[in-house]
């Protein structure tokens, strides 16, 4: 990593953004105002310091800092309940953040940008495993369609800037689509979190209360793929730093995104059992079939990324152990 790089990580306090910062620090980059190493400088701003939905503020930030690389990991995220309850917030805020950051990056000469999307961009009934060319081939999962539409727009923003300004300005904006992520820095909110952190909290509270059973939303039959967040961060840095010729060899101008997955999936019932074991809960698992299941299956085809030379390293058992340790640490610091 060149020590001339100024790397802006948007969303550095989120699960993915903080993992990207950890990965860059392991490569001898340092956060601005922190003790210097030999790598590049990592630039961060909290939401209080910079509202990415404010176009003027974003432009002023880029004018002041002049980053050379941008990791766009900032997003409004949540589970089925949150997406169903706040659809306007999810589409508006994500569209605004993406448009403001990508346009400001271009206006201020940033040639390298990585946009982080989501597996929900693919049709609800996409053939499994989901390949990159499944994008825009069918209806989306209704429970998170607004969020998915925003993420699709982010991919197309990157592609459009590449097509219009790649040759003239050296613009090289890339997109990676992670599968379901979990790990340190996750959101453990009882209603607005994703499945793994929600179940970690539920099983932990049941263990503490010696509750006889834990109810899981839905039938337990849908299948999901899970990737430890530090693996996602490593993949993001890997894709960002691929030489342009290699990246273009494995993508097309209007299908330039790359899937990032673990490579296999399990049922919700199976992941609930694995979390139960990681937490050490002794009671029973029940299923509330009055609650929605979401998409029946979401497995990513990561052939494109694997062909480029990257593989996930952390298996689910290892990852859940680390995730539960993070939950306990987070809980010990105050109410979640």
């Amino acid at each position: 990593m060149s020590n001339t790089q100024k790397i802006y990580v948007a969303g550095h306090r989120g699960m993915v953004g903080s993992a990207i910062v950890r990965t860059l620090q392991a490569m001898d980059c340092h956060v601005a105002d922190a003790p210097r190493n030999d790598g590049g400088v990592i630039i961060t701003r909290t939401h209080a310091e910079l509202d990415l939905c404010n176009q003027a503020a974003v432009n002023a930030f880029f004018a002041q800092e002049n980053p050379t690389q941008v990791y766009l990991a900032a997003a409004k995220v949540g589970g089925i309940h949150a997406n169903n309850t706040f659809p306007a917030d999810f589409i508006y805020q994500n569209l605004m953040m993406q448009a403001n950051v990508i346009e400001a990056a271009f206006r201020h000469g940033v040639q390298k940008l990585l946009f982080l999307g989501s597996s929900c961009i693919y049709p609800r009934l996409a053939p499994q495993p989901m390949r990159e060319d499944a994008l825009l081939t069918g209806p989306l999962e209704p429970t998170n369609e607004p969020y998915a539409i925003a993420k699709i727009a982010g991919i197309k923003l990157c592609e459009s800037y590449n097509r219009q300004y790649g040759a003239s300005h050296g613009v090289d904006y890339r997109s990676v689509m992670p599968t379901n992520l979990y790990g340190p820095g996750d959101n453990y909110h009882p209603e607005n979190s994703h499945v793994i952190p929600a179940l970690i909290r539920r099983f932990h509270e049941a263990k503490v209360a010696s509750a006889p059973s834990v109810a899981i939303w839905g039938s337990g039959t849908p299948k999901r793929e899970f990737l430890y967040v530090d693996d996602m961060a490593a993949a993001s840095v890997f894709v960002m730093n691929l030489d342009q010729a290699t990246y273009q060899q494995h993508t097309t101008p209007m299908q330039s995104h790359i899937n990032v997955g673990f490579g296999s999936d399990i049922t919700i019932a199976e992941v609930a059992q694995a979390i139960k074991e990681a937490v050490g809960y002794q009671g029973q698992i029940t299923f509330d079939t009055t609650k929605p299941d979401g998409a029946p299956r979401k497995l990513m085809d990561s052939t494109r990324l694997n062909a480029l030379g990257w593989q996930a390293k952390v298996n689910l058992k290892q990852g859940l152990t680390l995730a539960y340790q993070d939950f306990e640490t987070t809980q010990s610091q105050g109410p979640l």
Side-chain angles (χ1 to χ4, degrees), residues 117-123 135-136 140 148 151-152 155 177 257 259:
S118 166
S119 61
C120 70
I121 63 167
Y122 294 116
L135 184 63
L136 299 175
L140 299 164
K151 288 299 184 179
I152 292 169
I155 298 170
M177 300 300 115
H257 59 289
N259 289 343

Side-chain angles (χ1 to χ4, degrees), residues 46-112:
T46 64
H47 176 72
E49 293 168 333
L50 176 62
D51 179 1
L52 295 180
C53 289
N54 183 326
Q55 187 179 59
V58 174
N59 275 320
F61 163 76
F62 273 82
Q64 175 185 340
E65 292 293 344
N66 286 307
T68 56
Q69 285 190 7
V70 174
Y71 287 88
L72 182 40
K76 179 176 178 61
V77 298
I80 291 175
H81 176 81
N83 275 272
N84 264 335
T85 307
F86 309 109
D89 292 349
F90 274 86
I91 192 166
Y92 172 77
Q93 292 182 31
N94 284 298
L95 284 171
M96 291 299 292
M97 284 188 274
Q98 294 162 191
N100 289 341
V101 171
I102 292 170
E103 167 68 7
F106 168 70
R107 283 181 175 270
H108 295 280
V110 177
Q111 294 182 323
K112 298 279 289 182

Side-chain angles (χ1 to χ4, degrees), residues 27 31 51 95 121 158 160 164 182 184 187 212 241 247 255 260 264 270 280 288 294 296:
M27 299 168 66
V31 177
D51 179 1
L95 284 171
I121 63 167
C158 290
S160 297
Q164 188 167 343
Y182 69 99
N187 169 26
N241 292 308
Y247 187 81
Q255 194 186 102
V260 185
S264 61
E270 289 169 331
D288 183 354

Side-chain angles (χ1 to χ4, degrees), residues 33 51-52 70 72 89 98 116 123 135 157 187-188 203 230 248 267 278 282 298 310 322 336:
D33 301 325
D51 179 1
L52 295 180
V70 174
L72 182 40
D89 292 349
Q98 294 162 191
L116 282 83
L135 184 63
L157 273 166
N187 169 26
Y188 300 101
F203 279 112
D230 287 71
Q248 291 177 344
T267 67
Q282 300 298 317
K298 288 172 67 176
W310 187 88
L322 294 167
L336 294 173

